[in-house]
Amino acid sequence: MNTQMHNLNHEAAEDEDRALFQEMVRRILQQEVAPDYEEWEAAHQLPREVWCKLGEAGLLGVDLPEALGGSGAGVEICLMICEEISRQGFGGLASGYNIHANIVIPYLLHLGSDAQQQYWLPRMASGEVLGAIAMTEPGAGSDLAAMRTTAEKVESGWKLNGTKVFITNGQLADMVIVCAKTDPTAGARGVSLFLVDTRLPGFSRGKSIRKIGQHASDTAELFFDDLIVPDEALLGDAGKGFAYLMQELPRERLGVAAQALGAIEGALQLTLEYVQERHAFGQRIADFQNSRFTLAQVRAELEMGRAYFNQCLQRYRAGQMSPVDAATLKLMLSEMQCTSIDRCLQLFGGYGYTLEYPISRFYVDARIQTIYAGTSEIMKEVIARDMLGRVA
């Protein structure tokens, strides 16, 4: 009984701390992001200084040890920030934050040498260095075995050649984790990871890729032309890149799921406000049975999605979240996000299709969620293989 009471008290204290931190995050976003976000969307680019402001506020690298510039918080705080950014309708910033704080920083924390961590992580926590990760290629997509970017061992280190596409934060990134083939004959087992300083000769960027949503999040094509990185730029061991990617995917997909939950909740709140203010045929939109049932459905699915998210988060913290857990979570919540926000937009009628109403941004920002971090089709294949094995 004493152990049970201790656990309950500990959980209550954690919930209180999380609520206080969440309120602080909300204030910071309203002060530093909300006033200018429309302008950033129109410019198709976040200003570089916004990352420094988030770093100054302590929102980057929150689960890093204090010695590396973090707050020593749990992974759930980083995911809460992803969710809150998304809930406020800043989908482009949410994706950029997820890449930098929830993906690139953990890669370094889990795989990096002491020297690599000391060199990069404090500056990533402060916002001085913005991170990106480069996996996808023009002709390969999600097929890492078909990757063409190569890293050849040379006397001075490694020589990288190749092209990456659809790289979030690509235009502003100061450091990119690059996936490259170090053994072209070994398929997925020949992939290695490199920490590439974007100031190095041989690195270049194409112009920003224009998208239908998440405009404030820059997306770039990156080029590596005889780019030489030193031996100490290798992240982890050579040839283990694919295993590392699989190891880190659960956290990446938790981040996408957190974005989905935040966006659904934000869109639902906007819609609740609208249907209670807007009238048609002599009554509030909220009084039509269709409106009530639609919103009830969104609310019910949101609660179910959050319950599974929390279950996966507990498994992740215990080191027990499987690739199938991650695929199931990512599949269901990203698809739910698109469906739920579509239902919400419908209740706005023609106004939902205008840029004047923020629900339209929730709608277009949602669409990419079923594509990046593994498409819905890839997620279904991961789940099916667990039940049926691979197709011969």
Side-chain angles (χ1 to χ4, degrees):
M1 181 65 74
N2 288 338
T3 301
Q4 187 177 13
M5 288 299 297
H6 173 77
N7 289 339
L8 288 172
N9 290 335
H10 180 69
E11 288 176 10
E14 277 193 343
D15 288 344
E16 184 177 351
D17 289 345
R18 185 183 184 281
L20 289 171
F21 205 104
Q22 186 171 19
E23 184 55 38
M24 183 193 76
V25 172
R26 287 174 177 167
R27 288 200 308 270
I28 292 168
L29 293 174
Q30 285 302 308
Q31 292 168 7
E32 303 293 347
V33 175
D36 301 308
Y37 197 75
E38 294 289 346
E39 181 181 327
W40 302 342
E41 281 275 294
H44 290 257
Q45 182 73 69
L46 290 166
R48 186 63 184 77
E49 57 268 21
V50 74
W51 296 105
C52 294
K53 289 180 179 179
L54 294 178
E56 288 171 12
L59 301 191
L60 305 179
V62 288
D63 54 329
L64 283 175
E66 292 183 15
L68 292 172
S71 305
V75 59
E76 66 276 4
I77 298 299
C78 183
L79 294 170
M80 178 272 289
I81 297 172
C82 288
E83 182 179 334
E84 185 58 34
I85 296 172
S86 193
R87 190 188 69 79
Q88 294 200 24
F90 309 137
L93 175 60
S95 287
Y97 180 90
N98 188 39
I99 291 290
H100 175 82
N102 190 54
I103 299 175
V104 177
I105 284 179
Y107 265 84
L108 268 161
L109 185 62
H110 299 155
L111 305 172
S113 65
D114 287 344
Q116 288 171 334
Q117 291 178 2
Q118 292 290 340
Y119 183 77
W120 290 112
L121 288 177
R123 293 187 295 151
M124 295 185 77
S126 71
E128 178 187 345
V129 166
L130 180 64
I133 185 164
M135 289 187 278
T136 307
E137 296 188 2
S142 299
D143 184 2
L144 294 180
M147 185 184 300
R148 293 187 177 182
T149 297
T150 60
E152 177 189 355
K153 190 71 184 75
V154 294
E155 185 177 346
S156 54
W158 297 85
K159 180 168 69 173
L160 273 65
N161 279 287
T163 302
K164 300 292 183 178
V165 73
F166 303 135
I167 308 307
T168 301
N169 295 343
Q171 288 294 343
L172 295 179
D174 304 285
M175 188 275 287
V176 181
I177 298 177
V178 178
C179 308
K181 282 281 187 72
T182 45
D183 183 354
T185 65
R189 288 186 172 85
V191 174
S192 302
L193 306 182
F194 296 89
L195 303 175
V196 175
D197 187 326
T198 59
R199 297 172 299 180
L200 290 172
F203 175 85
S204 61
R205 320 173 205 248
K207 64 181 181 180
S208 288
I209 298 169
R210 294 298 178 99
K211 312 179 297 292
I212 63 170
Q214 295 199 5
H215 298 308
S217 168
D218 73 74
T219 307
E221 193 170 18
L222 306 181
F223 304 98
F224 311 94
D225 183 14
D226 288 342
L227 185 151
I228 304 293
V229 295
D231 285 323
E232 53 266 29
L234 177 67
L235 182 61
D237 297 327
K240 293 187 178 179
F242 185 77
Y244 295 146
L245 294 173
M246 295 304 101
Q247 172 187 312
E248 297 299 322
L249 271 176
R251 176 150 179 178
E252 177 179 357
R253 289 172 180 164
L254 274 167
V256 172
Q259 289 176 246
L261 288 173
I264 295 169
E265 189 172 292
L268 178 58
Q269 185 58 43
L270 285 177
T271 310
L272 287 169
E273 293 169 2
Y274 179 82
V275 298
Q276 293 179 81
E277 295 169 357
R278 188 78 178 176
H279 288 72
F281 301 101
Q283 61 181 356
R284 300 183 311 167
I285 301 295
D287 295 329
F288 289 100
Q289 186 182 67
N290 178 68
S291 304
R292 301 171 72 83
F293 283 11
T294 295
L295 295 171
Q297 182 78 23
V298 172
R299 167 71 179 274
E301 291 178 358
L302 175 61
E303 295 298 332
M304 293 292 286
R306 187 173 295 283
Y308 187 59
F309 174 86
N310 288 337
Q311 179 178 313
C312 286
L313 178 56
Q314 289 176 356
R315 289 178 183 173
Y316 179 83
R317 293 174 68 181
Q320 298 171 351
M321 186 178 176
S322 71
V324 175
D325 292 332
T328 303
L329 179 70
K330 200 272 179 181
L331 170 66
M332 298 310 296
L333 284 189
S334 62
E335 292 285 347
M336 184 191 299
Q337 178 184 356
C338 290
T339 302
S340 297
I341 294 175
D342 181 62
R343 289 171 176 158
C344 287
L345 185 145
Q346 186 71 18
L347 296 180
F348 281 77
Y351 291 105
Y353 200 64
T354 69
L355 296 178
E356 183 180 349
Y357 282 73
I359 191 67
S360 62
R361 189 165 71 227
F362 277 92
Y363 179 80
V364 293
D365 283 356
R367 190 61 187 85
I368 189 61
Q369 287 266 96
T370 64
I371 297 173
Y372 59 21
T375 65
S376 291
E377 291 72 26
I378 294 288
M379 298 304 94
K380 290 174 184 176
E381 180 61 24
V382 170
I383 298 165
R385 283 180 184 177
D386 186 63
M387 297 184 293
L388 302 168
R390 292 175 178 266
V391 176

